[in-house]
Amino acid sequence: MNANEIPKIHTPSRTTVSLALGSGGARGLVHIGIIEWLVAHDYRIESISGASMGALVGGIHAAGELDAYKHWACALKRSDVLRFLDFAFSGNGLLKGDRIMDTLRAMVGERAIEDLPISFTAVATDIERQREIWLASGPLFDAVRASIAVPGVFTPYEYQGLTLVDGGLLNPVPIAPTFRDLTDMTIAVNLNAESDDRPIASPPRRPAGTEREAGDQGLQARIRQFLDSIGDDVGAVGTERLGVFDLTTRAFETMQNSIAAMKLAAFRPDVLIDVPRDTCAAHEFHRAAELIELGHRLADAAMGARED
């Protein structure tokens, strides 16, 4: 070896990844399993863009606290959702969303997006100007709160003079923010894929009241009955007339399905992981464990097919 030469140090290379995590309510818990699979198989996630639940899960992972969120989510029961129902009592949304955001801030800590170890962009919709907004700086949970503001469910979020709602309204699978990345590959997760007609995570029907604690009275008991009826309506097949909540949710998802198909036709990622839209209902956050496991299986199938 020449005395002036610098010896080469051989280090194992790791595939760097940009993730585009889609919107889809509780189906977004699948993102946790996909991220876990990638990390376990030595992929290095360097960039995440997310809409709605994709922004929530992606932002928490970018902050390094996905394990804490996973354990919290897996401990939730259907009845626990009551603790996060902070009704807005206004005409522009059912819930304020402050309780869930306060819980996440306590769990993760408030972070500035620009200080995160992983590049992160939350996608929201400027409802007044009817345009897509990319939030890549500022407080993490302000960006997440804006991105999850499903119209009619959460009140719009006022941020830097803008009125922002759910990013899935215009971009359910936000691949475009990853175009600036210098990573080896882009993986997109579409939570609004066509069904393959096989039951994936269908919960058993429960008798009414099986999760109600003794002593429920008044407004709390009526809220429980309301939530149970939503679950029954979504799980029902065929002929029953849709309630207002169910109709609104399905209408929003129908729109997202169409937009997601167009976006994916225009911007093809290196790997697309499809999650059938009938995997679970948008509100079924109590099914975290099975949805995370589904994420493991879907990632293994998609990435295994690529490696083959």
Side-chain angles (χ1 to χ4, degrees), residues 34-68:
I34 292 170
I35 290 171
E36 287 184 333
W37 190 97
L38 292 172
V39 171
H41 288 78
D42 211 31
Y43 289 88
R44 187 168 74 241
I45 300 169
E46 292 193 345
S47 171
I48 299 175
S49 64
S52 200
M53 270 297 289
L56 190 153
V57 173
I60 291 174
H61 177 66
E65 297 293 341
L66 191 62
D67 281 347

Side-chain angles (χ1 to χ4, degrees):
M1 177 185 298
N2 189 301
N4 294 323
E5 288 183 1
I6 299 175
K8 294 180 180 179
I9 299 174
H10 294 282
T11 57
S13 61
R14 297 176 64 191
T15 302
T16 58
V17 171
S18 295
L19 276 182
L21 302 180
S23 63
R27 290 191 300 281
L29 294 166
V30 171
H31 294 320
I32 299 174
I34 292 170
I35 290 171
E36 287 184 333
W37 190 97
L38 292 172
V39 171
H41 288 78
D42 211 31
Y43 289 88
R44 187 168 74 241
I45 300 169
E46 292 193 345
S47 171
I48 299 175
S49 64
S52 200
M53 270 297 289
L56 190 153
V57 173
I60 291 174
H61 177 66
E65 297 293 341
L66 191 62
D67 281 347
Y69 177 71
K70 172 188 174 179
H71 292 308
W72 176 80
C74 287
L76 285 177
K77 297 180 175 62
R78 188 176 184 179
S79 59
D80 290 333
V81 72
L82 285 172
R83 294 187 290 115
F84 303 108
L85 296 182
D86 49 354
F87 289 97
F89 298 107
S90 68
N92 60 357
L94 180 65
L95 305 174
K96 292 183 290 186
D98 293 343
R99 289 181 186 171
I100 183 62
M101 287 296 105
D102 289 345
T103 299
L104 295 177
R105 285 189 179 94
M107 184 188 307
V108 176
E110 188 57 271
R111 309 287 183 88
I113 294 174
E114 57 268 32
D115 295 335
L116 298 177
I118 295 175
S119 175
F120 174 71
T121 303
V123 176
T125 300
D126 179 347
I127 197 64
E128 293 180 344
R129 295 172 179 81
Q130 301 181 3
R131 63 181 182 179
E132 184 178 329
I133 298 293
W134 296 357
L135 302 172
S137 63
L140 172 62
F141 287 111
D142 283 356
V144 169
R145 173 61 180 85
S147 189
I148 68 168
V150 180
V153 179
F154 288 103
T155 57
Y157 194 64
E158 301 295 333
Y159 183 66
Q160 296 184 351
L162 303 176
T163 302
L164 302 179
V165 297
D166 195 297
L169 192 65
L170 292 180
N171 197 347
V173 190
I175 298 172
T178 69
F179 289 169
R180 61 195 172 189
D181 298 337
L182 300 176
T183 52
D184 297 321
M185 65 189 305
T186 298
I187 301 171
V189 183
N190 174 26
L191 300 181
N192 297 286
E194 292 286 346
S195 170
D196 60 5
D197 296 324
R198 289 183 291 112
I200 294 179
S202 180
R205 297 296 296 275
R206 300 185 182 94
T210 54
E211 288 193 1
R212 297 175 189 166
E213 294 85 355
D216 274 352
Q217 296 179 0
L219 177 61
Q220 191 175 71
R222 291 196 295 273
I223 294 172
R224 285 189 189 278
Q225 292 168 0
F226 169 68
L227 293 172
D228 286 342
S229 71
I230 292 173
D232 292 342
D233 286 345
V234 173
V237 177
T239 59
E240 294 185 13
R241 189 175 68 177
L242 297 177
V244 173
F245 183 91
D246 193 18
L247 182 60
T248 301
T249 301
R250 293 195 191 185
F252 185 68
E253 291 189 340
T254 298
M255 179 191 65
Q256 285 190 108
N257 299 341
S258 178
I259 295 174
M262 291 188 292
K263 292 285 187 180
L264 289 169
F267 308 122
R268 296 298 297 180
D270 297 295
V271 176
L272 175 63
I273 300 177
D274 278 327
V275 181
R277 57 179 172 263
D278 62 352
T279 294
C280 72
H283 67 278
E284 292 184 309
F285 291 94
H286 60 286
R287 298 171 62 188
E290 62 185 289
L291 292 168
I292 292 168
E293 175 57 30
L294 174 61
H296 294 161
R297 299 200 308 269
L298 293 175
D300 190 66
M303 301 303 292
R306 178 181 173 82
E307 292 172 359
D308 293 341

